[in-house]
Amino acid sequence: MTAQHVIATYLIETSLPLQHAAEVLAGEQSTGTFVRVERESDDLRARFAAQVESLEEVPLTGASPLPGSVGDPARRRRARLRLRFPLGNFGPSLPNLLAAVAGNLFEIKELSAIKLIDLELPPAFAERYPGPAFGVGGTRRLLGRPSGAMIGTIVKPSIGLSPEDLAEVVGELAEAGIDFIKDDELQGNGPSAPLAERVRAVMPVLEHYADRTGRKPMYAFNITDDIGRLEANHDLVVAAGGTCVMACINLIGLPGLEFLRRHAEVPIHGHRAMLGAFNRSEQVGIGFRAWQKLARLAGADHLHTNGISNKFYETDAQVLDSIAAVREPLLGLTPTVPVLSSGQWGGLAHATYSAVGTTDLLVLAGGGIHGHPDGAAAGVASMREAWESAATGEAVEVALERSPALRRATELFGPVRV
């Protein structure tokens, strides 16, 4: 049965009886409307109606109801709802899947909270969508980093550097032994530093370093743009010898990402910019666990999860669940690389590794590298040495004794987390 269905899991709140609210939701997102119509026969409903798979009441959070919701607030109840959607309603199509599982349902006034938190997808989606082309293994091969955490950074200042200044920064980072460098999501194809000029400035620096060392750091050029420009932007990077492109998934959309994946010759670094707009609230939106499955199917080789002690709103528990979600197998697809970012520095390595138990991670430190008291090279060293120490099970105290760069980092960023 599951192979011909999609199971969508929601958190809902309502002042109606829970079963009734669940049936309203199921009907609105499949065969029903506000009244039974003539041709909505029992046979049609049996074949095409969404069905309540399970309904489990959970405690209220105390959050305010959504605007426009109806019913007595004192009667509100909360539940975890699993709905079963026939695959025949939309087929293995991500845009049409979203119309069913995340379409008008957010506007149903009988619901005072509605959040899609997970999806169970049948194999038909993997038959249509190839998923990542490179993933963990391909990224490691291109980086020349067969083991250990992959250490990277974001160009800082995020925006404002001339292409010549950018090339200088990239040269310093390459000499420091960085694995990966990326444009900030704010640095697209603006007039102050167009993509073509950044590529022209950066790639000779990386090629020169590769000629001397045999290893070329990966630079993820942000090619986010209108869908009709993605192909040309990608080709510009690849023609110059680039080994990665970055796209902001929510800004080009899943169809844009899938379009890029079909054309791409290098890994796609999937940025999650704007995710908070529909993930942050516990009352409405799409949760990371559901979203990341769609992004992986559409072809993201790398996917941002945030990191612990981050500068944004997510708790450590939420971040760790996001990392675990990206690492879980999905329909036999090539594994996507979780990307840890936001407030990361060397002093978080031991606590992160203890929690996730893997170095198949791309760990990005912006300020944690560029803001190191002794400069970016020391920032890279602090990250590398901390992660190598954590992966060997070395105690934090030993790591601090062995790594002057990590010790100096603690003077600015605070004590190492354990």
Side-chain angles (χ1 to χ4, degrees), residues 152-153 155 170 173-174 178-183 206 217-220:
T153 191
V155 172
V170 169
L173 291 166
I178 199 82
D179 294 322
F180 179 94
I181 310 165
K182 67 175 279 294
D183 285 334
L206 295 180
M218 180 177 283
Y219 193 107

Side-chain angles (χ1 to χ4, degrees), residues 231-303:
E231 187 174 343
N233 289 352
H234 164 275
D235 291 352
L236 173 69
V237 172
V238 172
T243 57
C244 190
V245 294
M246 171 178 138
C248 296
I249 296 169
N250 296 312
L251 309 186
I252 65 171
L254 293 172
L257 178 59
E258 192 272 341
F259 172 84
L260 178 60
R261 163 63 178 88
R262 297 284 179 181
H263 180 75
E265 300 176 22
V266 295
I268 300 170
H269 185 83
H271 199 286
R272 65 186 237 172
M274 212 175 80
L275 182 71
F278 48 84
N279 180 49
R280 186 170 185 174
S281 172
E282 60 188 2
Q283 294 295 88
V284 68
I286 302 175
F288 183 86
R289 274 194 165 265
W291 178 83
Q292 59 89 24
K293 291 180 179 179
L294 307 178
R296 289 162 66 189
L297 274 167
D301 293 285
H302 312 156
L303 199 58

Side-chain angles (χ1 to χ4, degrees), residues 6-141:
V6 167
I7 306 293
T9 303
Y10 303 91
L11 288 172
I12 66 169
E13 281 184 16
T14 181
S15 297
L16 300 177
L18 287 175
Q19 184 67 34
H20 177 57
E23 290 170 357
V24 167
L25 175 54
E28 179 66 30
Q29 294 308 118
S30 56
T31 64
T33 182
F34 69 94
V35 65
R36 186 74 175 257
V37 297
E38 180 182 356
R39 287 182 173 82
E40 189 187 358
S41 65
D42 290 341
D43 177 65
L44 185 144
R45 287 175 60 83
R47 294 170 56 204
F48 296 105
Q51 303 290 338
V52 176
E53 182 83 356
S54 65
L55 186 63
E56 175 192 2
E57 187 166 5
V58 296
L60 289 166
T61 65
S64 299
L66 292 176
S69 57
V70 297
D72 181 359
R75 299 175 65 86
R76 281 168 57 198
R77 297 163 69 190
R78 188 173 178 89
R80 181 184 298 266
L81 167 65
R82 297 173 75 240
L83 286 186
R84 186 174 72 250
F85 291 85
L87 182 62
N89 286 13
F90 38 76
S93 162
L94 293 180
N96 292 305
L97 165 69
L98 281 172
V101 303
N104 286 340
L105 56 87
F106 298 116
E107 303 183 50
I108 297 174
K109 64 185 178 181
E110 289 88 350
L111 300 176
S112 51
I114 170 66
K115 186 164 185 176
L116 172 65
I117 60 172
D118 207 352
L119 289 167
E120 298 170 38
L121 302 171
F125 279 89
E127 295 167 9
R128 175 165 177 176
Y129 295 95
F134 294 85
V136 174
T139 299
R140 284 196 177 280
R141 175 177 55 79

